[in-house]
Amino acid sequence: MTLSQPNRPTSLALCHTDKHKPVRTLPFKKIAAALSLCLGLSPLAQAQLPAPVESALNRAKISTDDISLLIMPVNAATNNTAESTSKKSRLPEVVKPEEAKVLGSQGSSDADALPPETQDTVAATSEPSSSTQQGNTAAPAASSSTANQTGNQTTSQAVDQASTTNSGQAGSAEIVKSAPSLEFPVRHLTDLPRTPASTMKLIPTFVALDLLGPDFVWFTQVYHTGFVSANTLYGDLIIKGSGDPKLTTQRLNKLLEQVQKAGIQHIKGDIVLDSSVFQGVTKDPAAFDNDPLRPYNASPDSLLINFSSVEVTAVPLLNNSQKGRSKIYYKPRLADYEMPDTLANTSTGRCSSARSSLAPVWRDSALVFNRTLPESCGNHTFYIAYPDAKDFAKKVVKNQWLNLGNTLSGNIKFLGLGNTVSGDIINTETPVKSLYGNYFDMTVGADKDSALTSSFSLLPSSPLPFVSYPSLPLSQQIYDINHYSNNVMTEQVTLTLPLYTQVQLKSEEPDSKPITKVIKSRQTQQSDYLKSLATINQWWQSNLTTLPPVMTNGSGLCRDCTVTAENLAELLSFAYNHPNFDTYVNSLGVAGVSGTITEHADRLPSSAAIGRAWIKTGTLNDVTSMAGYVRGQSGQDYVVVGIINGLTKDQPFNTYEARYVLDTMLDWTAKQ
């Protein structure tokens, strides 16, 4: 942590070189910082809060001990040290208020759009309005996963290409107002570890950008055993996942269509799903908040399909014979599983949450709704998470394979190194050895429909995939993660980090710098939480000076993970001068315009931060946080971090009021 003195520029703002690496400090500084944290001796630990922020705290009945706040000027690096950098900005163009209204109402028809309730917010029950019931959730805005509200990103039609482009330089068209600049950063309890909620996502997304690059893609690969003749595979089809965070049902369909085009429509064997790249990552979906049907509680998986969630749409029937009922549509459907096509309506009840109203239960062979649907819901869409990612993948793959007009004589099985919680396991720890080399032991079971298939297990698997389907680029994945606060996507990215490494390749040009390339790691073939968090910890110690944060999964959906305001401020300051900063900052929501910070304009309609703050938010019960960048009216850029934890129990913690406190922080900063 940084121990700056008053009236002296913060070391965070001065710790960058032209190579975007901070100057390393001596080890004893970290020891001193740790001691000062334990003893509460940091000279700038507690400072005078901006008057509007303190007033908002009083209004919300939140103690000043419950908030950590850091507001820090940040400048673009320059090779000419004599050149003034105070007015040079790397932030995107400021969105004018009239443009903000238009952009905030726009949506996207992207087929791969995220379900709104994949967000991680677990809201306090004391919030006064239904529009904020799920914390940061804003369903209309969350239906768009590719629209760039600042006008600097590609549209959803180009979603399969790199979708984040360099933003224009800010301030080119705005009138710079004369306003006093801060003489030194505003700090309040910045060294105190706090629960960050989803602002934690700022860490793994930036580390991934630095280690993997914005153009990095995951590949879902398809192999087969046996042989193919007349569009028929006499063997098993093997689909191997690599951790794609956004393998939606639409994208899975495209993958299966490529299998068809490769000449396979009928399988005289099994479809084998391989998710062995991630080990030991399956979680109890009810463990965090006893709400296992929430998509934000989904477990990661290296073959994660559609976030393990089903979109359910209820449409009231108008014909006389079926009045009082609603037609139910599902995306995706599940093979060999009953799902009711209609549902009775009731004139009583409020449609605050159709999922809560219906009380759905995933039984062994059928989805059951234990309650009727309130008529006030009308046409209503909601999302239900399936409790088992592997079983969900089996049912979806089979359904989509058959829906394409294909056939399957066998079953869907999971291949893995004991890393499965349901279904059949095919053990590959000791593969059978033959004249043909190593191959999978596809031992025949009673489920085979033909004695002929017993010989297929004796044939070697194809050494190379015949279909290799790329994911959306990392730049787009990070946009979705930070804009819509998707937990399971964050964990997929985090778990990917140990599996790849950077190598330096010689350039063909004699005087050119070496080319950095990302390749698969030879040392790490499987990933787990321990390895992935160790990778982040190592990156932190190599690039930053504060003590590393305490992380458990990378998403922030945790009670035992902590960061300090200094942690996030140093990361954001470091990122500001990074080559991939444009991708990073454009992944954040724009205050009052897009993402989970859209409702900033509703809570504070006259805010100066509307259209000029790029923010990641976080919300849990007793936790509200915001972190990101603000473009001041003077032309100065600022890093802002605000974390409120409801530690003082004298008053009940009101998430909505706490959010207003941090909205005030953004407004005050934008006026500087």
Side-chain angles (χ1 to χ4, degrees):
M1 51 197 62
T2 306
L3 302 180
S4 302
Q5 297 296 327
N7 303 318
R8 190 174 70 182
T10 173
S11 61
L12 295 183
L14 302 175
C15 65
H16 305 296
T17 68
D18 292 340
K19 295 182 179 179
H20 312 287
K21 297 293 183 183
V23 177
R24 299 295 296 150
T25 56
L26 295 175
F28 76 84
K29 183 175 180 180
K30 288 190 175 183
I31 298 173
L35 289 173
S36 68
L37 174 61
C38 296
L39 300 176
L41 300 178
S42 178
L44 287 179
Q46 187 158 343
Q48 183 68 37
L49 290 166
V53 174
E54 194 155 7
S55 175
L57 283 169
N58 291 333
R59 165 183 152 171
K61 298 180 180 179
I62 296 174
S63 168
T64 55
D65 292 337
D66 292 344
I67 182 172
S68 291
L69 184 143
L70 195 156
I71 303 172
M72 180 175 80
V74 62
N75 300 319
T78 175
N79 291 329
N80 183 1
T81 56
E83 178 185 347
S84 173
T85 63
S86 62
K87 296 295 185 283
K88 185 177 180 182
S89 173
R90 297 201 69 199
L91 294 178
E93 294 284 354
V94 171
V95 182
K96 297 178 181 178
E98 58 271 20
E99 297 171 343
K101 291 181 181 179
V102 176
L103 291 171
S105 63
Q106 288 178 349
S108 170
S109 58
D110 175 24
D112 295 328
L114 293 173
E117 293 178 2
T118 56
Q119 296 164 22
D120 63 347
T121 50
V122 185
T125 57
S126 57
E127 294 189 13
S129 71
S130 60
S131 64
T132 59
Q133 184 174 3
Q134 289 307 319
N136 292 331
T137 301
S143 65
S144 166
S145 65
T146 59
N148 176 13
Q149 309 296 359
T150 64
N152 291 319
Q153 280 187 324
T154 55
T155 61
S156 61
Q157 283 75 18
V159 76
D160 284 312
Q161 300 177 0
S163 62
T164 306
T165 59
N166 291 342
S167 64
Q169 292 299 316
S172 59
E174 76 172 303
I175 298 174
V176 177
K177 297 183 179 181
S178 176
S181 298
L182 297 174
E183 292 184 5
F184 56 88
V186 176
R187 281 186 165 89
H188 177 80
L189 300 179
T190 57
D191 291 341
L192 183 65
R194 295 192 188 272
T195 303
S198 264
T199 51
M200 178 72 84
K201 292 179 173 67
L202 290 167
I203 298 172
T205 52
F206 180 75
V207 173
L209 267 181
D210 187 56
L211 295 180
L212 305 177
D215 299 325
F216 174 84
V217 295
W218 291 257
F219 286 94
T220 303
Q221 299 174 323
V222 185
Y223 303 77
H224 68 77
T225 61
F227 63 92
V228 179
S229 176
N231 292 332
T232 301
L233 169 62
Y234 294 91
D236 294 335
L237 190 76
I238 302 167
I239 302 176
K240 181 178 176 64
S242 65
D244 183 353
K246 199 176 182 186
L247 185 58
T248 60
T249 51
Q250 292 87 349
R251 299 183 64 78
L252 174 64
N253 223 53
K254 293 176 182 178
L255 181 148
L256 297 178
E257 286 174 352
Q258 288 193 14
V259 174
Q260 275 189 327
K261 291 176 181 177
I264 298 177
Q265 289 184 269
H266 311 288
I267 300 175
K268 296 295 185 180
D270 295 324
I271 294 179
V272 180
L273 307 180
D274 182 354
S275 66
S276 59
V277 173
F278 293 168
Q279 293 287 305
V281 298
T282 299
K283 302 182 296 184
D284 176 3
F288 182 74
D289 57 3
N290 199 32
D291 200 348
L293 300 183
R294 291 284 191 187
Y296 60 67
N297 279 319
S299 290
D301 194 89
S302 62
L303 190 60
L304 179 73
I305 295 176
N306 211 60
F307 320 111
S308 297
S309 298
V310 174
E311 176 187 291
V312 182
T313 301
V315 179
L317 295 168
L318 301 178
N319 54 313
N320 292 329
S321 62
Q322 291 189 298
K323 265 193 174 181
R325 300 190 69 83
S326 290
K327 177 71 174 175
I328 309 297
Y329 301 91
Y330 303 92
K331 293 182 182 178
R333 299 286 306 205
L334 306 181
D336 305 323
Y337 199 79
E338 294 183 13
M339 306 172 84
D341 292 327
T342 63
L343 192 63
N345 299 334
T346 178
S347 58
T348 61
R350 183 170 61 94
C351 191
S352 57
S353 171
R355 180 179 44 247
S356 300
S357 301
L358 295 173
V361 175
W362 296 104
R363 293 187 177 168
D364 290 341
S365 59
L367 172 64
V368 175
F369 294 108
N370 288 321
R371 298 177 191 162
T372 53
L373 182 69
E375 289 178 353
S376 58
C377 289
N379 288 8
H380 193 83
T381 297
F382 58 102
Y383 297 83
I384 310 176
Y386 193 85
D388 184 337
K390 297 183 186 301
D391 194 49
F392 184 81
K394 288 167 59 175
K395 288 177 167 57
V396 174
V397 168
K398 183 174 182 179
N399 179 71
Q400 294 202 215
W401 176 254
L402 298 178
N403 278 350
L404 288 172
N406 304 319
T407 64
L408 173 67
S409 68
N411 290 326
I412 308 287
K413 294 185 176 181
F414 251 98
L415 178 149
L417 305 179
N419 183 39
T420 188
V421 294
S422 69
D424 300 310
I425 301 174
I426 300 174
N427 193 333
T428 60
E429 292 186 44
T430 55
V432 177
K433 186 87 171 178
S434 76
L435 296 175
Y436 304 100
N438 288 335
Y439 56 90
F440 301 122
D441 179 16
M442 305 297 182
T443 306
V444 180
D447 55 353
K448 300 281 185 175
D449 67 348
S450 171
L452 185 63
T453 59
S454 63
S455 62
F456 302 152
S457 63
L458 302 179
L459 295 170
S461 61
S462 52
L464 297 174
F466 68 94
V467 169
S468 190
Y469 187 72
S471 71
L472 297 170
L474 179 64
S475 59
Q476 180 63 48
Q477 310 269 11
I478 287 177
Y479 179 89
D480 290 340
I481 288 170
N482 286 335
H483 230 67
Y484 307 117
S485 210
N486 188 294
N487 281 328
V488 71
M489 287 182 72
T490 311
E491 296 186 36
Q492 296 281 115
V493 170
T494 302
L495 289 163
T496 298
L497 295 175
L499 299 173
Y500 296 86
T501 187
Q502 291 181 348
V503 295
Q504 300 289 325
L505 303 178
K506 281 189 176 181
S507 175
E508 295 181 359
E509 299 294 332
D511 297 330
S512 298
K513 294 181 180 179
I515 301 172
T516 301
K517 186 177 180 181
V518 176
I519 63 171
K520 284 188 176 181
S521 171
R522 294 181 179 179
Q523 287 75 29
T524 306
Q525 302 299 317
Q526 280 89 30
S527 179
D528 54 31
Y529 284 117
L530 186 63
K531 293 175 183 177
S532 58
L533 297 178
T535 301
I536 293 176
N537 191 286
Q538 182 180 6
W539 180 93
W540 193 282
Q541 293 184 2
S542 300
N543 292 278
L544 305 179
T545 61
T546 55
L547 296 173
V550 177
M551 304 177 69
T552 56
N553 55 36
S555 71
L557 192 69
C558 48
R559 293 289 182 182
D560 52 353
C561 54
T562 58
V563 302
T564 66
E566 292 281 2
N567 282 150
L568 292 179
E570 186 181 23
L571 176 79
L572 292 166
S573 179
F574 180 82
Y576 185 85
N577 285 300
H578 192 275
N580 294 322
F581 177 69
D582 291 319
T583 298
Y584 190 55
V585 70
N586 278 318
S587 74
L588 306 179
V590 183
V593 177
S594 67
T596 59
I597 191 67
T598 301
E599 291 182 355
H600 173 81
D602 298 331
R603 295 187 295 266
L604 205 61
S606 61
S607 172
I610 295 173
R612 60 190 315 125
W614 292 262
I615 300 297
K616 179 74 198 77
T617 63
T619 307
L620 298 171
N621 282 329
D622 292 337
V623 179
T624 295
S625 59
M626 293 184 187
Y629 305 93
V630 176
R631 176 74 165 161
Q633 291 178 340
S634 65
Q636 176 67 57
D637 292 345
Y638 296 92
V639 163
V640 294
V641 179
I643 307 173
I644 302 176
N645 286 182
L647 303 177
T648 305
K649 299 302 181 183
D650 295 340
Q651 296 289 339
F653 187 86
N654 187 308
T655 307
Y656 187 86
E657 292 289 349
R659 231 175 279 149
Y660 179 83
V661 173
L662 300 183
D663 287 328
T664 304
M665 172 191 72
L666 300 183
D667 174 50
W668 182 87
T669 306
K671 290 175 179 175
Q672 303 307 307

